Amino acid sequence: MPSVTRDTFQRSHPRRPRLESTVTLAHGSGGRAMHDLIDSIFVARFQQAPAPLEDQARIPLGALNTLGDRLAFTTDSYVVDPLFFPGSNIGELAVNGTVNDLCVSGAIPLYLTCSVILEEGLSTDLLAQIVDHMAIAAVQARVQIVTGDTKVVPRGSVDKIFINTAGVGVMRTGINPCATALQPGDRILINGAIGNHGAAILVARGELALDTDIQSDCQPLNSLVDAIVSVCPDVRAMRDATRGGLATVLNEFATASQVSIQLQEEAIPVDEPVAGLCELLGLDPLYLANEGKIVVVVPAHRADETLATMRSHPAGQESCCIGQVGDRFPGLVSLQTAFGTERVVDVLVGDQLPRIC
């Protein structure tokens, strides 16, 4: 992963003449003010080489054809509150989230779009900081941000900034992880402790007067997926455990494949500060959001090698096997507790924490 910091990025991407200190409705008018905003903040940071500005990105098909046999295309919107939180921010989240949605399908992420809705009065310095982090995250995830859109709405219509990113990748030939592919006997793997992102957002809102060092796990997973599919091309399913957490992902898998899934509570890693926060507030870490955790289902005979490969990767050093697939009760996820009892892990009704991504 390239080592890029905001300081080194700014030295290689000098800023254009300074804009007004805040975003105004004129910046969304389609006139000179909007073009100055786009040129100074977005183009200056995202464009890796001089190119004519058109209304669409033009992508050579020849290079794509050498990487696989299908396109993968996804989109997501990011409305997280607060914009900056321990371990990450909305800019990194918008890039990593879409990269991860692509790579868990087995695709190689290549290109992103970036559309923003800005609230009148937003600080242009704050906007530039966010876009800096997006540009750095794109470099680290080895993707290009190639086109986008900017809208400005009156004060109070949105909360500072909402970001939409769409992504295009190429599906590797012969790789097809899918929620409907689970089979009895398969093993459930995860690349580390759960719940850190949701817990970090909760603490960052400052409503609990708690002093913890919980950091979001926001990170790109495409390099880890590269390693997984290199040793397990017949991987059954992969999914990043974001909103709704580990429990939601596994319920979707169990329902889609009509299998049962049994988890081992003692095998599921939860960092001590997150576990303490959950105990204090009555939250279940199985449902807390993650932004850098991947759930991987593999055939039993591939589990040991896949797990060893994940542990050898920087994004998977704490990987472990947390359960297995069965056929007792199709569609049911259960948890074998540390006390020897078993409970149902149902689908979350509502949302434990709103605006976490």
Side-chain angles (χ1 to χ4, degrees):
M1 179 180 295
S3 177
V4 183
T5 67
R6 188 162 181 254
D7 287 341
T8 58
F9 178 81
Q10 286 178 333
R11 282 197 293 274
S12 60
H13 294 73
R15 293 188 178 192
R16 306 292 173 83
R18 189 177 180 84
L19 292 167
E20 296 93 328
S21 60
T22 60
V23 172
T24 69
L25 291 178
H27 288 122
S29 67
R32 179 175 296 279
M34 188 181 83
H35 286 283
D36 287 347
L37 180 78
I38 293 171
D39 190 49
S40 298
I41 291 187
F42 294 98
V43 175
R45 289 165 173 79
F46 291 161
Q47 197 171 51
Q48 298 185 4
L53 294 180
E54 301 288 351
D55 286 341
Q56 67 292 128
R58 302 176 185 187
I59 299 170
L61 291 177
L64 303 186
N65 288 334
T66 64
L67 299 175
D69 60 357
R70 293 154 291 165
L71 277 180
F73 182 37
T74 188
T75 185
D76 206 344
S77 297
Y78 300 87
V79 297
V80 65
D81 174 39
L83 299 179
F84 284 77
F85 45 86
S88 193
N89 56 79
I90 190 173
E92 291 180 356
L93 189 62
V95 172
N96 292 339
T98 296
V99 165
N100 293 344
D101 284 347
L102 284 171
C103 70
V104 295
S105 72
I108 302 169
L110 295 173
Y111 302 104
L112 300 187
T113 71
C114 169
S115 293
V116 296
I117 300 177
L118 307 176
E119 182 186 23
E120 176 190 16
L122 176 71
S123 160
T124 51
D125 277 348
L126 177 60
L127 176 61
Q129 287 181 47
I130 292 168
V131 177
D132 275 345
H133 283 285
M134 292 189 74
I136 293 168
V139 171
Q140 292 175 332
R142 308 191 308 267
V143 296
Q144 294 181 45
I145 299 173
V146 293
T147 190
D149 183 52
T150 303
K151 295 289 188 299
V152 181
V153 296
R155 197 182 303 269
S157 297
V158 297
D159 187 3
K160 296 182 278 295
I161 179 173
F162 292 166
I163 301 176
N164 174 273
T165 47
V168 172
V170 175
M171 296 283 293
R172 297 172 175 87
T173 303
I175 306 293
N176 192 33
C178 183
T180 60
L182 276 65
Q183 297 180 18
D186 289 347
R187 299 296 190 265
I188 313 292
L189 313 179
I190 195 165
N191 64 319
I194 62 171
N196 289 60
H197 178 73
I201 293 294
L202 181 60
V203 174
R205 288 178 181 166
E207 299 168 350
L208 301 176
L210 293 176
D211 183 17
T212 78
D213 60 353
I214 299 173
Q215 305 277 311
S216 169
D217 61 345
C218 184
Q219 62 177 337
L221 295 168
N222 48 331
S223 176
L224 178 60
V225 169
D226 292 346
I228 291 170
V229 299
S230 72
V231 298
C232 186
D234 51 347
V235 57
R236 304 283 197 216
M238 295 188 286
R239 185 74 62 82
D240 51 335
T242 55
R243 187 173 47 184
L246 174 65
T248 298
V249 169
L250 294 180
N251 270 283
E252 290 175 359
F253 283 173
T255 300
S257 292
Q258 282 299 289
V259 294
S260 59
I261 292 176
Q262 185 178 53
L263 300 172
Q264 299 297 322
E265 184 176 38
E266 290 186 315
I268 300 173
V270 182
D271 288 342
E272 189 172 334
V274 175
L277 183 72
C278 288
E279 186 174 350
L280 179 67
L281 300 177
L283 300 173
D284 189 338
L286 293 175
Y287 296 94
L288 282 183
N290 313 273
E291 290 295 343
K293 293 298 178 297
I294 182 171
V295 183
V296 185
V297 184
V298 297
H301 71 279
R302 298 279 198 190
D304 289 345
E305 185 180 13
T306 305
L307 196 55
T309 298
M310 293 172 68
R311 287 173 174 166
S312 68
H313 190 281
Q317 293 176 345
E318 298 179 355
S319 297
C320 53
C321 179
I322 59 174
Q324 68 180 59
V325 179
D327 57 4
R328 290 189 306 162
F329 304 105
L332 182 75
V333 178
S334 64
L335 180 76
Q336 190 79 34
T337 72
F339 302 105
T341 59
E342 189 171 13
R343 71 173 174 91
V344 173
V345 178
D346 209 345
V347 178
L348 183 66
V349 177
D351 201 347
Q352 287 194 122
L353 298 172
R355 294 189 60 188
I356 53 174
C357 61

